[in-house]
Amino acid sequence: MSLRVAVQMDPVLGINIDTDTTFLMMMEAKIRGHKLWFYTPDKLSLEDGRVFARAQPLDVFAEKGAHAKLGETVLLDMKDDVDVVLMRQDPPFDMAYITATHFLEKVHPHTLVVNNPAEVRNAPEKLFVTDFPGVQPPTLITSDHEAIYDFRARHGDIVLKPLYGGGGSGVARLLADDPNLDALLELHAMIGREQVIAQKFVPAVSKGDKRVLLVDGEPVGAINRVPAAGQVRSNLRVGGRAEAVELTARDKELCAIIGPELKKRGLLFVGIDVIGDYLTEINVTSPTGAQQLKRFSGIDAAAVLWDRIETIRSTPA
């Protein structure tokens, strides 16, 4: 089977081919004989009910500094010219991101969008996890400063983070007597009107923040992301160190709790974050960690994903 695949992502020439999960997905698509196009989200258009993208034919190579070859721009009809869209641009999950999901919803599932754009929109990563009682540490989502002060008074050591951020941006730990809470809340208010998350600090984060990758609701494997000395953020893009790790009984339990809902919603490629016994986020926009997983364990999450995509595309509607 040869599929026509359009990849909606951030600029492809700027990625790190040693760590980028989307690059692994594109390389696997090439190996399987699928045709690739690349475009950034701002090149999407909606005209008279039809969705178009100004895209470039793409070839990829495992060669640093020469990993992508782009052809002349063409206008793709996203329903007639494309079989699969990989929606892989990074957050922030802002109105531009949401609008892109509305556009792609008009072609899905005729054109298979990974992940289902309506459910990406309906499952913001730090809100979706609240649908599963008992899996999170104590968590408050609000823009009410008094509520946040009350939460800290009850829980002491907390983490404050933006609701729609990503990659560890804007995450700060605040001890019970930290005088900087007001200033941080003012900074968040200057950035936007969105609520913030206050979460009880989980000391187990010093041992790592586990990223578990799931394909169609089933766990594929995990890596551990360990924060740098003296840091609370373990995200790889802000200095966290990846290491090999096995799935624990609790990890599998958490996957069993959320897996059926992921499958139901068409969220084919998902990364969850686990600290200790707690699930902190369900990442549905552009989950990472597949390259490190393959390097440590030999498990290729991109290959598992393409197996599933090919099965879906070959099954009569």
Side-chain angles (χ1 to χ4, degrees):
M1 172 187 292
S2 179
L3 297 172
R4 301 166 298 174
V5 181
V7 186
Q8 176 175 305
M9 62 181 293
D10 301 310
V12 68
L13 296 178
I15 62 175
N16 182 343
I17 67 170
D18 291 332
T19 59
D20 191 89
T21 291
T22 308
F23 183 74
L24 188 65
M25 292 177 176
M26 294 187 297
M27 284 294 294
E28 182 65 22
K30 174 182 176 175
I31 291 168
R32 293 173 181 237
H34 303 321
K35 180 173 176 57
L36 291 168
W37 285 279
F38 155 79
Y39 68 94
T40 51
D42 59 301
K43 299 303 182 183
L44 272 180
S45 303
L46 174 64
E47 182 176 354
D48 296 330
R50 298 172 65 193
V51 181
F52 301 92
R54 293 196 179 278
Q56 295 173 271
L58 170 67
D59 198 358
V60 288
F61 309 90
E63 183 180 346
K64 285 188 176 182
H67 63 270
K69 181 180 179 181
L70 294 166
E72 294 296 321
T73 299
V74 297
L75 186 66
L76 294 180
D77 184 313
M78 299 298 281
K79 197 166 190 177
D80 293 341
D81 299 331
V82 180
D83 299 308
V84 177
V85 175
L86 297 181
M87 187 176 181
R88 291 287 304 172
Q89 77 267 25
D90 290 337
F93 192 72
D94 54 13
M95 286 308 300
Y97 212 118
I98 290 171
T99 300
T101 69
H102 282 290
F103 285 7
L104 292 179
E105 187 181 1
K106 294 184 178 297
V107 303
H108 179 82
H110 177 88
T111 299
L112 177 64
V113 182
V114 181
N115 288 317
N116 180 344
E119 296 302 337
V120 168
R121 185 173 67 248
N122 292 337
E125 301 175 338
K126 298 177 181 68
L127 279 172
F128 184 27
V129 67
T130 65
D131 288 356
F132 305 95
V135 302
Q136 278 189 295
T139 300
L140 170 72
I141 304 174
T142 187
S143 54
D144 182 349
H145 291 195
E146 290 186 27
I148 295 170
Y149 267 96
D150 174 69
F151 183 85
R152 186 171 71 160
R154 287 183 284 118
H155 294 290
D157 198 350
I158 67 170
V159 172
L160 195 72
K161 51 188 173 181
L163 181 56
Y164 295 115
S169 62
V171 177
R173 178 184 177 187
L174 292 159
L175 301 179
D177 59 351
D178 194 308
N180 295 306
L181 180 54
D182 273 337
L184 282 172
L185 292 174
E186 288 171 5
L187 286 172
H188 281 290
M190 290 170 62
I191 294 168
R193 297 187 300 167
E194 290 83 7
Q195 293 82 354
V196 296
I197 296 180
Q199 199 163 65
K200 181 178 174 62
F201 177 71
V202 181
V205 73
S206 64
K207 298 179 180 178
D209 178 351
K210 193 176 298 180
R211 164 57 55 88
V212 182
L213 294 176
L214 300 93
V215 171
D216 205 16
E218 296 291 333
V220 175
I223 61 168
N224 198 33
R225 301 170 300 177
V226 181
Q231 297 294 315
V232 68
R233 300 182 299 173
S234 56
N235 306 73
L236 300 181
R237 70 181 63 183
V238 293
R241 183 186 79 254
E243 63 180 21
V245 69
E246 296 291 330
L247 289 170
T248 66
R250 177 57 173 168
D251 298 334
K252 294 174 183 177
E253 180 184 14
L254 291 170
C255 291
I257 291 169
I258 69 171
E261 187 65 17
L262 301 180
K263 187 176 182 70
K264 175 184 173 183
R265 292 178 178 230
L267 296 169
L268 291 182
F269 191 78
V270 170
I272 65 172
D273 296 341
V274 180
I275 301 175
D277 289 333
Y278 291 113
L279 175 60
T280 59
E281 292 186 22
I282 302 175
N283 298 276
V284 303
T285 51
S286 184
T288 61
Q291 292 243 33
Q292 293 82 3
L293 176 63
K294 184 176 181 180
R295 191 173 303 126
F296 293 141
S297 69
I299 298 172
D300 192 338
V304 177
L305 175 64
W306 278 111
D307 285 345
R308 184 65 188 127
I309 290 171
E310 289 170 0
T311 297
I312 292 171
R313 291 301 312 177
S314 64
T315 303

